[in-house]
Structure formats: structure tokens, C-alpha cells
Amino acid sequence: MRIIPISVPTPFYIGPVNCYLIAEEPLTLIDTGPKTKEANEALRDGLRKARVRVSDLRRIVLTHAHEDHCGLARSLRDEAKDAEVLVHNWETGHRAGRLEHEEHRALLVRAGVPGNEIEAMRRLYQQVRLYADSFDQNEYSELQDEAELEFNNGALRIVHTPGHTPGSCSFIREADRTVIAGDCVLKRITPNPILSVDPIDPTRRFPSLAEYLVSLARLRAFAPTLVYGGHGDPVNDFEELFNRYLRAVRERQAQVIGLVRNGGATAWDVSRQMFPETDDVHRFLAVSEAVAHLDLAHSEGKIALELSEGKEVYRRVGGDERKL
Ligand SMILES: [Zn+2]
Ligand SMILES: [Zn+2]
């Protein structure tokens, strides 16, 4: 079973996205690139070099439903006629008519984001949505944790690795412990645990960073020899990356705790101090990062959290800063 990476350009800050062709029957494509002319051409070029036509594809599998990964899924599926689209049930980005904006807005209000900023984020988000076609509910199947994607020769084990998004999945070829990890593992940057609604209880937010750390540990238990990420080069030294990520999380946590003043601070306050220069979509990513690290610090008892006038305010605990 050959895994053939295809690099596809995106209009996003992150740069090109990696799609993976599994050159084995049934022919399977993991991730598709965004819905742009350039991405479409690059993907077809990559398939052509592997002597595969879009109409030969039998499965389109999504590591997660961000636009840079799922954007072309629908048009490819339409062209490949009976290709099956597979995505984890906790993903929402590919769904038609989803109502999540209102749920999302509630999370942003609680995180202390001002109304005009929420509105700007919503407008931006609508722009980003244009880079993906959506699916009706009966048009895709569910990726199940621990199930296998079977091929004539070999299989990929599906591992649910939430964190970056609630329904992010990785795929493991156990014969040589190769992993396709989507945005769960990126060589040069620490993935951002995006502020997300909890798929089980939409009134809560998903504990993305805590879940992410569990996912990383789970992947580590497979002792990966090679990890193909959603962006950038593959990772040959997962152990080094694992430890680097943990250090980055601890350092960021110390920073966010330090930014919580005695009078208390919202995640928005903290994000503006952490990244004062950021604008547009990066303000959302910044507040996601702040929420994720504050939540983890709170769950570890390192800071206190109280609700004040509909906003969550983090406070220092015990007044002993040295403990941090
Ligand atoms: Zn992503
Ligand atoms: Zn991505």
C-alpha cells in the first residue's frame, strides 16, 4: 500500500495543505484541499502523476472538516460518482445548514470577546466558508475510532485524535507504524486547539487542549516511525516533537497564568496581551489559544474561574505566584 503525498496550495496563512493518495484498491484520497482553481489543478496534477483519475477514486476520507482539508470533497465525490465520503461524526465544518454560529457566538461572549469583534469574526468566517462545499447528512459516512479502512493489500487503523477539532482523526499503517495525522501533528508549528462547541453538549465548549494532549499520548503509544501531517514536511522523530509540544504547552500555560492579573481577566483580555498585533482571523485563533490554555490551567487547579455578567473571568489562586 503506497502513500503518496500531494501538496496543494491554499489561500490561507498556513500555506499549502498535504493530501494523501493511498495507491491501493479501493483507491482512497485523504483530504482534498480548498475549493479554489489552483488547488483543484494541483490535486489533479498530483493524481495524474500517480496515474489516477478523479473518477477512479472510491473513498474520500477527511482528517477533519476545515476548509483547507475538505473544500473539494464534494466536487470530487460528484465526479467520482459512487465514491464514499468519510468523516468523524464530531466534525461540523462540512455540514450544510449547520446552526453552529449561534452556539459559537455564545462561547465567544463567555470568553469576553466584544460584540463588534464577534461580528467581524463572523463575517470573516463566512468568507472562509466559501472555500468549501457542504454535504447533506445522508451524503457521508462516519469514521469510527479503532475501525479499519480496509484495502486489498493492508489496512489503515482509524484513531480518533480530537484536539485541533473535536472530530480530528489519524490513520495508522501498523505494519511500519506510519501515521497520517492531519493537523494533529505539524512539524514546524504547534497546532492550535480551536475554540469549539462540545459535540455532546453544545452549551459547553470542547476541552480542546486537554483532549489534544491525550490524543498525542495515544499516537505516541503506537511509537510512530513516520508521521505525515496536514501541512509541511513529515515528522521522523515523533518523540522529539512530542516533548517539544509538551514544553510549548507548559511555557504557554505559564505565560497565560502570568497575564491573569489580580483583578481577573477574560480569555479575550489575555489573548490581546499575548498577541497585541494580531488582526482578523488571527484574533479568533489568538482567543482560541488563550481559552485552551486557561481552561487547562483551570482544570489543573492553577487558576480560578468565575462567571461575572455573562463572562468567564479567570483569577489567580492563593496569591502565591511562585507556585506557578
Ligand atoms: Zn485544521
Ligand atoms: Zn490544516
Side-chain angles (χ1 to χ4, degrees):
M1 183 209 300
R2 275 192 310 148
I3 299 174
I4 302 176
I6 302 174
S7 177
V8 168
T10 81
F12 305 121
Y13 179 78
I14 187 114
V17 61
N18 297 322
C19 306
Y20 296 95
L21 172 70
I22 313 298
E24 177 65 47
E25 291 296 331
L27 278 171
T28 299
L29 181 69
I30 299 185
D31 288 344
T32 69
K35 194 178 75 169
T36 67
K37 191 165 156 280
E38 294 76 13
N40 203 354
E41 282 169 5
L43 181 72
R44 280 162 199 275
D45 246 26
L47 292 175
R48 205 176 300 123
K49 283 188 188 125
R51 299 175 190 283
V52 167
R53 287 172 306 196
V54 170
S55 56
D56 298 332
L57 294 174
R58 286 293 156 267
R59 276 191 302 223
I60 297 164
V61 176
L62 303 173
T63 58
H64 65 298
H66 278 158
E67 287 75 5
D68 46 341
H69 297 258
C70 75
L72 290 168
R74 193 193 170 103
S75 62
L76 295 173
R77 196 282 318 255
D78 289 349
E79 192 171 333
K81 296 293 183 264
D82 51 359
E84 186 182 19
V85 176
L86 291 126
V87 57
H88 191 276
N89 194 31
W90 281 4
E91 286 299 279
T92 53
H94 58 295
R95 291 186 191 173
R98 64 207 173 116
L99 297 168
E100 83 180 350
H101 181 67
E102 276 314 301
E103 293 165 351
H104 222 201
R105 165 183 285 277
L107 297 189
L108 291 170
V109 168
R110 284 218 311 269
V113 182
N116 60 326
E117 294 282 349
I118 295 178
E119 187 48 31
M121 287 175 189
R122 188 183 65 79
R123 281 198 302 270
L124 230 126
Y125 196 62
Q126 276 176 339
Q127 293 297 310
V128 174
R129 287 288 293 158
L130 300 176
Y131 292 102
D133 282 325
S134 50
F135 288 94
D136 288 327
Q137 200 151 20
N138 56 356
E139 294 181 306
Y140 53 86
S141 320
E142 267 181 50
L143 286 172
Q144 303 277 2
D145 187 40
E146 290 292 339
E148 289 192 329
L149 292 174
E150 288 177 12
F151 295 86
N152 286 358
N153 246 319
L156 289 174
R157 185 208 286 236
I158 302 163
V159 182
H160 180 207
T161 44
H164 174 64
T165 63
S168 286
C169 283
S170 300
F171 305 91
I172 302 184
R173 180 170 62 186
E174 289 180 276
D176 62 356
R177 307 196 309 271
T178 299
V179 183
I180 297 171
D183 287 357
C184 183
V185 175
L186 302 176
K187 184 162 185 168
R188 295 203 181 282
I189 32 173
T190 46
N192 198 321
I194 306 283
L195 178 64
S196 304
V197 172
D198 189 318
I200 306 291
D201 176 359
T203 64
R204 299 162 66 107
R205 65 176 168 254
F206 190 65
S208 40
L209 187 52
E211 290 280 345
Y212 181 61
L213 294 175
V214 172
S215 295
L216 276 184
R218 203 170 158 208
L219 286 184
R220 187 190 188 205
F222 289 97
T225 55
L226 185 67
V227 185
Y228 288 114
H231 305 272
D233 291 334
V235 172
N236 324 15
D237 190 347
F238 184 78
E239 202 56 23
E240 183 275 331
L241 176 134
F242 178 82
N243 286 297
R244 180 155 50 87
Y245 277 10
L246 288 199
R247 269 200 311 280
V249 168
R250 290 300 158 210
E251 281 166 18
R252 183 66 89 198
Q253 187 182 67
Q255 186 191 11
V256 299
I257 292 171
L259 291 171
V260 173
R261 308 264 176 249
N262 285 332
T266 64
W268 172 252
D269 299 334
V270 168
S271 76
R272 297 307 296 146
Q273 290 180 73
M274 246 189 331
F275 306 105
E277 303 296 321
T278 52
D279 53 11
D280 61 54
V281 71
H282 299 108
R283 289 199 181 181
F284 173 69
L285 297 177
V287 79
S288 281
E289 175 113 358
V291 168
H293 286 82
L294 290 163
D295 268 355
L296 187 67
H298 174 241
S299 66
E300 291 178 348
K302 293 176 179 168
I303 46 173
L305 171 60
E306 61 191 49
L307 202 61
S308 165
E309 295 168 8
K311 292 180 199 165
E312 286 168 328
V313 178
Y314 298 88
R315 295 190 196 283
R316 295 191 160 240
V317 284
D320 182 359
E321 297 179 12
R322 282 165 307 171
K323 263 201 315 213
L324 308 174

